[in-house]
Amino acid sequence: LKLSIGLISVPLTVGYLGKERYGLWMAAASILTFLTVIDASFVPALKNHLAEAFAHHNHGDFNRYASASLFTSALIAIFILALAPLVITVPWATFLRLRDAAAARELIPLMLVLLAMGAATLGTSFVEAIYAARLNISITLACNLVVLLVGLALLLFAIRAKASLPLLAALTGSPISLVRVFLFFRLSRK
């Protein structure tokens, strides 16, 4: 399904944004993807510790690991948001030699949106590890399916509404964080 959505969305987005703005979006999104390397080293270890505590019915350790992951994720999110002054002060449009006036105008807002999305995504990444450790993976898989479909719908809406590049990025990137927040509050009720 993810591949199919990519095959649908890429030509639509390139056609809407044009080559330079699309390339700018993909370059910025690649930086966001790179930030998930931080997450890649943290979540698997967390998942192992949570699963072990859950399997041994050790609720104290499980809750400590979950709390520590919330705290660590919050610190990572704060660190990412602390990069905002750097993003604002660097003359990125000149550095990247942008020719498209719209791309140059939208670059800083796009980068700020992606920083916020990166902070939100990494700040909530531990939620799926908690569900996996509790053997509730089907809930996260179903939610991720919804995220893919909602993301495509929001992309189509943004193109139809002629949304700016930062708004397009925010609309298509926010569903995963919103779902994780929903899952987090669902956990906290239990």
Side-chain angles (χ1 to χ4, degrees), residues 3 58 98 163:
L3 178 63
N58 189 338
L98 295 178

Side-chain angles (χ1 to χ4, degrees), residues 93-105:
T94 305
F95 179 71
L96 296 173
R97 299 177 193 198
L98 295 178
R99 294 184 194 120
D100 185 328
R105 189 175 52 255

Side-chain angles (χ1 to χ4, degrees), residues 73-186:
S73 294
L75 285 178
I76 292 169
I78 290 167
F79 172 75
I80 291 170
L81 292 175
L83 297 174
L86 175 67
V87 167
I88 293 170
T89 57
V90 174
W92 294 104
T94 305
F95 179 71
L96 296 173
R97 299 177 193 198
L98 295 178
R99 294 184 194 120
D100 185 328
R105 189 175 52 255
E106 294 176 327
L107 178 58
I108 298 296
L110 172 65
M111 292 179 79
L112 292 173
V113 163
L114 290 175
L115 275 178
M117 286 175 27
T121 300
L122 291 173
T124 58
S125 64
F126 68 94
V127 172
E128 290 182 38
I130 293 172
Y131 274 87
R134 293 174 122 190
L135 304 176
N136 291 354
I137 196 74
S138 60
I139 293 169
T140 59
L141 291 174
C143 287
N144 285 332
L145 176 64
V146 170
V147 164
L148 286 172
L149 296 173
V150 168
L152 178 61
L154 288 172
L155 174 68
L156 295 172
F157 169 77
I159 290 171
R160 184 162 174 81
K162 299 192 183 317
S164 67
L165 181 53
L167 182 57
L168 178 76
L171 286 173
T172 58
S174 60
I176 186 68
S177 296
L178 294 175
V179 164
R180 285 178 175 170
V181 168
F182 163 76
L183 290 172
F184 176 74
F185 283 113
R186 188 174 179 275

